[in-house]
């Protein structure tokens, strides 16, 4: 009876009666034998793992919602590249030009409070290369030495003054910019870098350009146009949404339309396909000269958004534009056709 009670007690409470030579705890099993203690189902602690928070999340209605899910202390890079090939022909002669630019910026999450992210923005590198119709190229890179060409040297100085500089943005979880702080110091640094390289009139012009490009509105617009991909609504898989604009002011009238489609979602990437059109035309007459123009363009591409964080993993957009202009005066007519292909990439 005593043995049975002892066995039952050990079984219930898993009472340790000693340790073996290896230091493992010993208990008495149902047969009354002293054996090494093993973990039983009853003694296992059930650990519940919280579901992973995702930027692109599926709701109970089967639709997907989007909001930033950034980590405090983590840096999210953005490299924006633009390549353009431009050709023009009047039916007799033709010429070609090209340009290529790259901009690298880091966004570090410093804080997150009340649905607002505080991002420290760090400009890291700028470069540009331009090739004229004769095939001659000029270029600059802030990671390289200052160019000897005066005009290019000024551009290099402007962007060089920006590299290493930091400012702060507050952004909500939908990517809407709330505030931008720290721009005045960067403006001062840029203007000081070019003041001795240009004339007083040129300096006045540069001041206006910097004021117009380094302000909350300009910075907010650039960030939101690049990073805000989703509409403010939930989406079904393969659902599309469009941004359309009617142009009815000025000599060129028509429409611009851009359609995005939620094409695929997996644990790594959310894929969005992009297609768009631009159709503009107009005529104008002045002092016996008649001018007409047609501007048509298509846009195609793909955007990959990180499904967990909501940050852009990769963008490739190709815009193919054709501009046809005709000038007629004194019975003479000349038509110029221009073709421009612009490829925009991010990360």
């Amino acid at each position: 009876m005593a043995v049975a009670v002892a066995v039952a007690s050990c079984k219930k409470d898993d009472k340790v009666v000693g340790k073996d030579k290896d230091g493992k705890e010993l208990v008495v099993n149902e047969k009354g034998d002293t054996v090494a203690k093993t973990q039983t189902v009853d003694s296992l602690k059930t650990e519940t793992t919280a579901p992973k928070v995702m930027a692109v999340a599926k709701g109970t209605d089967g639709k997907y919602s989007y909001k930033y899910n950034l980590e405090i202390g983590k840096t999210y890079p953005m490299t924006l590249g633009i390549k353009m090939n431009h050709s023009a022909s009047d039916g007799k002669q033709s010429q070609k030009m090209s340009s290529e630019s790259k901009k690298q910026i880091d966004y570090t999450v410093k804080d997150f409070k009340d649905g607002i992210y505080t991002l420290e923005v760090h400009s890291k590198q700028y470069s540009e290369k331009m090739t004229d119709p004769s095939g001659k190229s000029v270029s600059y890179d802030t990671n390289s030495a200052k160019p000897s060409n005066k005009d290019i040297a000024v551009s290099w100085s402007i962007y060089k003054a920006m590299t290493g500089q930091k400012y702060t943005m507050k952004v909500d979880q939908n990517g809407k910019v709330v505030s931008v702080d720290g721009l005045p110091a960067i403006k001062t640094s840029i203007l000081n870098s070019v003041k001795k390289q240009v004339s007083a009139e040129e300096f006045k012009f540069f001041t206006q350009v910097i004021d117009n490009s380094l302000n909350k509105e300009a910075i907010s617009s650039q960030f939101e146009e690049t990073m805000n991909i989703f509409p403010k609504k939930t989406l079904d898989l393969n659902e599309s949404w469009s941004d359309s604009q009617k142009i009815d002011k000025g000599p060129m009238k028509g429409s611009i339309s851009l359609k995005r489609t939620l094409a695929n979602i997996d644990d790594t990437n959310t894929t969005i396909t992009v297609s768009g059109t631009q159709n503009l035309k107009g005529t104008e007459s002045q002092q016996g000269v008649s001018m007409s123009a047609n501007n048509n363009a298509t846009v195609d591409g793909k955007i990959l958004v990180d499904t967990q964080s909501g940050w852009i993993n990769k963008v490739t957009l190709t815009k193919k534009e054709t501009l046809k202009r005709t000038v007629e005066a004194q019975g003479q007519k000349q038509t110029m056709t221009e073709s421009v292909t612009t490829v925009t990439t991010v990360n």
Side-chain angles (χ1 to χ4, degrees), residues 98 128-140 149 152:
S98 66
E128 190 169 9
K129 180 180 179 179
M130 294 154 285
T131 303
D132 65 19
S134 69
K136 182 180 178 181
S137 295
V138 291
S139 63
Y140 67 87
N149 181 290
I152 301 301

Side-chain angles (χ1 to χ4, degrees), residues 9-16 27 37-40 43:
S9 177
C10 287
K11 179 181 179 183
K12 180 180 179 181
D13 300 329
D14 204 20
K15 185 176 181 181
V16 177
V27 296
K37 179 182 178 181
T38 57
Q39 196 173 30
T40 64
S43 66

Side-chain angles (χ1 to χ4, degrees), residues 123-320:
S123 300
K124 296 188 68 177
Q125 186 255 352
Y126 295 86
S127 65
E128 190 169 9
K129 180 180 179 179
M130 294 154 285
T131 303
D132 65 19
S134 69
K136 182 180 178 181
S137 295
V138 291
S139 63
Y140 67 87
D141 188 332
T142 56
N143 286 343
S144 302
K146 184 177 180 179
S148 56
N149 181 290
K150 179 184 176 182
D151 295 331
I152 301 301
V154 172
S155 297
W156 179 91
S157 297
I158 290 173
Y159 287 110
K160 186 66 175 179
M162 292 182 67
T163 59
Q165 300 278 0
K166 298 178 182 179
Y167 61 91
T168 301
M169 294 174 56
K170 290 187 182 294
V171 181
D172 69 16
Q173 288 184 280
N174 293 316
K176 178 72 174 178
V177 177
V178 177
S179 65
V180 181
D181 297 303
L183 295 178
I186 300 177
K187 290 182 184 180
T188 300
S189 177
I190 293 172
L191 293 175
N192 286 341
S193 71
V194 301
K195 192 171 186 178
K196 295 181 179 180
Q197 302 181 60
V198 298
S199 66
E201 191 64 27
E202 288 173 326
F203 183 74
K204 183 179 179 181
F205 169 75
F206 278 118
T207 300
Q208 293 174 342
V209 171
I210 299 303
D211 285 340
N212 291 333
S213 59
L214 277 180
N215 56 56
K216 179 187 181 294
E217 291 72 24
I219 295 294
S220 299
S221 177
Q222 184 184 58
F223 181 85
E224 292 171 4
E225 287 179 8
T226 304
M227 306 301 287
N228 290 3
I229 307 301
F230 286 81
K232 294 181 179 179
K233 66 174 185 176
T234 56
L235 298 167
D236 286 315
L237 192 62
N238 295 318
E239 183 175 350
S240 300
W241 64 100
S242 300
D243 296 318
S244 298
Q245 182 180 6
K246 187 177 181 180
I247 309 298
D248 55 8
K249 295 182 179 180
M252 299 293 285
K253 296 177 174 60
S255 62
I256 299 173
S257 179
L258 190 67
K259 184 177 77 171
R260 300 182 178 97
T261 302
L262 184 61
N264 186 63
I265 300 173
D266 59 36
D267 291 340
T268 303
N269 288 310
T270 293
T271 304
I272 299 167
T273 57
V274 180
S275 62
T277 59
Q278 173 180 291
N279 296 293
L280 302 173
K281 63 181 180 179
T283 59
E284 189 175 16
S285 297
Q286 188 175 5
Q287 296 180 349
V289 178
S290 175
M291 294 174 285
S292 64
N294 287 278
N295 189 327
N296 300 307
T298 60
V299 177
D300 292 286
K302 186 182 293 185
I303 301 170
L304 299 182
V305 175
D306 187 283
T307 304
Q308 184 174 349
S309 70
W311 200 257
I312 287 179
N313 277 342
K314 187 176 182 180
V315 174
T316 303
L317 297 176
T318 301
K319 180 179 181 181
K320 294 183 178 181

Side-chain angles (χ1 to χ4, degrees), residues 83-85 276-279 295-301 317-323 338-344:
K83 293 182 179 180
M84 184 182 72
N85 289 307
T277 59
Q278 173 180 291
N279 296 293
N295 189 327
N296 300 307
T298 60
V299 177
D300 292 286
L317 297 176
T318 301
K319 180 179 181 181
K320 294 183 178 181
E321 183 176 11
T322 300
L323 174 62
E338 298 179 51
S339 296
V340 183
T341 299
T342 305
V343 179
T344 302

Side-chain angles (χ1 to χ4, degrees), residues 16-54:
V16 177
V17 297
K19 293 184 179 181
D20 64 11
K21 62 180 181 178
D22 296 322
K24 294 181 178 180
E25 295 179 333
L26 301 173
V27 296
V28 178
N29 66 14
E30 295 179 3
K31 296 180 180 180
D33 298 327
T34 301
V35 296
K37 179 182 178 181
T38 57
Q39 196 173 30
T40 64
V41 174
D42 291 338
S43 66
L44 288 174
K45 293 182 179 179
T46 304
E47 296 183 0
T48 57
T49 303
K52 184 181 290 186
V53 177
M54 307 294 277

